[in-house]
Amino acid sequence: MLLPSFRAFDVVVNGLPGAPKAGTLLLPVRRKKVVQMNGDNVRAYGADDSPSSWDDRRSLDRSADRSSDRSSDRSSDRYGDRYVERRDARSPSRDGWTDPNVIASWDRPKGRRGASGRESASLPSYLEADAKRALTSKATGLTETIGRRHSGPFTDPLKFAPNPRSQKDPWPTIERALPPVPHFIYDEGWLDKGFSLGFDLPMVRGLQTPHEQRGSFGFLEDRRVHDSILSLYLEAGREGLALPFPEDATPLELSAVRIPHADHHAGGISLLENHWAAGLREPVPDRSTQVDALLYAWHASERDRARREDWTVLLPAMSFPGPEGRFVVRSGRTSALLQTRAAAAPVDAALWRELALRLARRCGIETVASDWVNVMGTNVLFLERYDRDADGRAQLTLSGETLGGDPKAGLSYLGLADILNSSGAEPAKDLPRIWRRMVFSHLCGADADVPAHWQFIRSTYGWKLAPAHAFSIAPPGMNVHRPITVDGKQTLKSADDAVSLAPYFGMKVAEAKAALSEMRKVMLGWERLAFSLGADPRECALMAPVLDDV
């Protein structure tokens, strides 16, 4: 750990032989309550037991008629007992800053009084200006901030190990200056030869923080598991299953770093902690021998009857982005995705996903391979992974929202085209594919497209469009995600409107009209295909208003 309130991870890109380390990721950790006695005030630093709370929660004013003996143990315990831990924040632990729950502090001159009349902590004068700049500038790096305050070589501030007992140690001040949000800094070698890891991480030196409307970096969101999966892990922990997670890990660290499998996580970015890939290491179920046990454990968890052995099988498989009912399984030399119906869902999402993929292939759209089979009387869908090659090696994949999504306006189809036009490996080949998928998604429902469905694979010469792996066909009103717009403002009103957009995607208008006509003919056979897959007639009736409107 480099800072008392942050945990550091090396960011390594897989799938690019010889690529240097991309950079370093700093994630905030949960801090216990610490009480500091300061005159007539009792100030509470740190966060409570709520996983979503990181800021100083409150300042409690002591009454004037309290005992004047402020140093007595009785007065201290009166306020300290309500917190998880009571510690004098002015007295660091004997082992320095190795305890992440210790708030960095040291003996310093008495603070100034602010507008509220309460005493505020003051920084040493020689660091005050630097701390203000670190707070106001996202691109301010540690080298720029504190490097010039030290004599001698100082090439990599993230490897600097100061003396924890030094009163002029800059680390506690910088730690206070950094807001409790994720931070990222590119490695010098990556800045020389690499590329941007997202719209929110331009190729600049110094510390960077996420956009204020997101709260996390795009490449972390691409590998983050669904909130419902995180809830299941916490439920398993309450049932007595020992989970290999740090006690001070935040929900973001759990869902984006600790729960994604070390070997089978989404995308090709690994997060290393002490030279080891972070994440679960328990073996995922094997497709040929353990799918029965996986489905049994899943059905038991849906009925709140999962036992310890069920969680042992289930949890390692639930380490991939997406809602409940999607699992990672071992399939030969690589891994695959398994999807089955969730008991609480009104429709069989796995069946309609398979139907959409088959229709897309008939419309000339490249998709991942899929296999619709029956296991234990339950229909399940096996999917080839879009982020792995034929030999099972990880490929660097980032979503369109990470590469070009505007935090305010959201993802747009023209924004996807801009990704390929600016840094695409084969834009002439991939641009028409975007147009076809845009039209097909609209034919599957006006809100059937999801930003996470658009993935890009990094090759030697740039980004390539990954094969389609999902389409969100759902009854009207069930898709609650933010829709993809055409230009950041307007959505696609009808499939015919897409014809006029064809030149932006490297297609002629006549070619676009012919392609739309063929796709409409394919969509007319959706009901027959649905019944052949075993769809419930009631579900087909729910889907008819969506799929018949072509």
Side-chain angles (χ1 to χ4, degrees):
M1 178 172 299
L2 300 174
L3 298 175
S5 299
F6 290 85
R7 201 177 344 262
F9 300 89
D10 291 335
V11 179
V12 177
V13 174
N14 301 319
L16 300 177
K21 184 183 78 170
T24 300
L25 174 69
L26 298 178
L27 292 180
V29 298
R30 296 176 60 187
R31 292 183 290 183
K32 294 182 180 178
K33 291 288 188 181
V34 180
V35 172
Q36 177 176 334
M37 309 300 296
N38 189 4
D40 290 334
N41 298 328
V42 176
R43 297 188 64 83
Y45 295 92
D48 59 11
D49 291 336
S50 173
S52 60
S53 176
W54 312 120
D55 300 327
D56 295 347
R57 298 291 295 179
R58 55 186 176 269
S59 178
L60 304 176
D61 291 333
R62 297 177 63 186
S63 302
D65 57 348
R66 298 278 186 189
S67 172
S68 60
D69 187 8
R70 302 184 182 95
S71 61
S72 64
D73 292 338
R74 182 178 58 185
S75 177
S76 300
D77 291 340
R78 182 180 305 163
Y79 294 92
D81 288 344
R82 72 185 64 185
Y83 302 107
V84 176
E85 180 178 349
R86 179 171 60 86
R87 188 193 304 271
D88 184 2
R90 294 181 183 270
S91 303
S93 59
R94 187 174 297 274
D95 58 349
W97 307 114
T98 57
D99 183 1
N101 300 313
V102 177
I103 290 184
S105 181
W106 64 98
D107 293 333
R108 55 183 178 268
K110 190 174 182 179
R112 300 186 298 269
R113 289 189 178 271
S116 63
R118 292 173 178 157
E119 188 178 18
S120 59
S122 61
L123 300 177
S125 58
Y126 68 97
L127 280 173
E128 188 169 8
D130 290 342
K132 290 181 180 179
R133 183 162 59 252
L135 278 170
T136 57
S137 174
K138 291 185 178 181
T140 299
L142 294 179
T143 303
E144 177 186 350
T145 307
I146 64 175
R148 54 188 173 83
R149 298 299 183 188
H150 295 266
S151 59
F154 194 78
T155 57
D156 188 356
L158 292 179
K159 297 180 181 179
F160 179 65
N163 180 3
R165 297 178 180 85
S166 172
Q167 291 187 2
K168 294 186 177 182
D169 169 24
W171 272 121
T173 301
I174 299 303
E175 187 272 334
R176 285 178 178 272
L178 296 181
V181 298
H183 289 73
F184 181 84
I185 184 170
Y186 278 114
D187 191 76
E188 286 294 329
W190 187 265
L191 287 172
D192 293 338
K193 301 180 180 180
F195 48 87
S196 172
L197 294 182
F199 180 81
D200 53 355
L201 283 173
M203 293 285 284
V204 297
R205 288 178 171 80
L207 284 175
Q208 302 187 57
T209 57
H211 192 276
E212 58 184 5
Q213 293 189 351
R214 289 187 175 178
S216 176
F217 295 114
F219 76 88
L220 282 179
E221 294 297 321
D222 287 348
R223 54 177 282 149
R224 187 175 184 175
V225 299
H226 197 268
D227 290 341
S228 60
I229 305 300
L230 177 59
S231 300
L232 289 177
Y233 272 85
L234 298 179
E235 178 184 345
R238 289 191 293 269
E239 294 294 331
L241 187 67
L243 301 176
F245 304 146
E247 293 183 358
D248 57 354
T250 65
L252 173 62
E253 182 179 343
L254 290 176
S255 58
V257 180
R258 302 295 176 181
I259 293 179
H261 202 278
D263 299 322
H264 305 291
H265 59 81
I269 293 181
S270 295
L271 303 177
L272 274 57
E273 185 179 26
N274 298 324
H275 307 290
W276 287 88
L280 293 177
R281 294 190 172 275
E282 287 72 16
V284 298
D286 188 87
R287 173 176 177 174
S288 59
T289 60
Q290 294 180 292
V291 171
D292 292 0
L294 174 62
L295 294 177
Y296 179 85
W298 168 242
H299 295 321
S301 70
E302 289 186 305
R303 298 189 299 269
D304 295 328
R305 297 180 180 178
R307 298 172 295 178
R308 188 183 188 91
E309 53 270 25
D310 298 326
W311 290 118
T312 304
V313 176
L314 188 61
L315 293 184
M318 302 178 68
S319 58
F320 202 82
E324 297 179 11
R326 301 181 183 183
F327 310 95
V328 179
V329 294
R330 187 75 184 176
S331 180
R333 295 179 298 176
T334 183
S335 58
L337 300 180
L338 181 151
Q339 183 173 358
T340 187
R341 178 170 188 166
V347 296
D348 189 347
L351 183 146
W352 294 103
R353 185 176 187 176
E354 169 65 4
L355 179 137
L357 291 175
R358 292 193 183 188
L359 291 175
R361 286 192 284 267
R362 295 179 184 181
C363 291
I365 297 174
E366 182 185 9
T367 72
V368 298
S370 61
D371 191 12
W372 182 250
V373 298
N374 186 281
V375 179
M376 294 177 56
T378 302
N379 291 326
V380 298
L381 174 63
F382 288 99
L383 288 170
E384 178 186 38
R385 292 188 57 167
Y386 58 85
D387 58 346
R388 297 293 188 270
D389 62 14
D391 296 325
R393 292 187 294 265
Q395 303 181 94
L396 174 59
T397 57
L398 293 176
S399 67
E401 193 168 27
T402 296
L403 290 174
D406 190 325
K408 295 182 179 180
L411 187 64
S412 67
Y413 292 111
L414 292 180
L416 294 173
D418 289 340
I419 296 173
L420 297 175
N421 287 325
S422 61
S423 55
E426 301 173 324
K429 182 179 179 181
D430 285 337
L431 285 173
R433 293 177 175 176
I434 292 182
W435 186 89
R436 284 182 173 272
R437 284 174 57 173
M438 173 182 67
V439 174
F440 179 78
S441 296
H442 186 83
L443 295 178
C444 290
D447 55 354
D449 212 353
V450 179
H453 293 169
W454 293 88
Q455 299 287 332
F456 292 83
I457 301 174
R458 185 70 187 192
S459 66
T460 305
Y461 302 104
W463 295 102
K464 299 190 302 182
L465 184 64
H469 65 279
F471 296 93
S472 296
I473 303 181
M478 281 193 57
N479 282 329
V480 295
H481 57 266
R482 189 177 188 179
I484 300 179
T485 61
V486 175
D487 55 357
K489 298 179 181 179
Q490 298 180 346
T491 57
L492 190 65
K493 300 302 181 181
S494 69
D496 293 314
D497 294 339
V499 175
S500 61
L501 299 173
Y504 293 99
F505 299 92
M507 298 178 64
K508 297 179 180 180
V509 173
E511 181 184 0
K513 288 182 178 180
L516 176 58
S517 178
E518 289 297 323
M519 283 192 277
R520 279 176 165 158
K521 292 179 181 179
V522 171
M523 295 299 296
L524 293 177
W526 73 267
E527 193 170 14
R528 180 182 301 176
L529 178 59
F531 284 130
S532 68
L533 295 174
D536 190 311
R538 291 171 294 183
E539 292 188 18
C540 291
L542 289 174
M543 294 296 186
V546 176
L547 297 176
D548 283 342
D549 186 18
V550 296

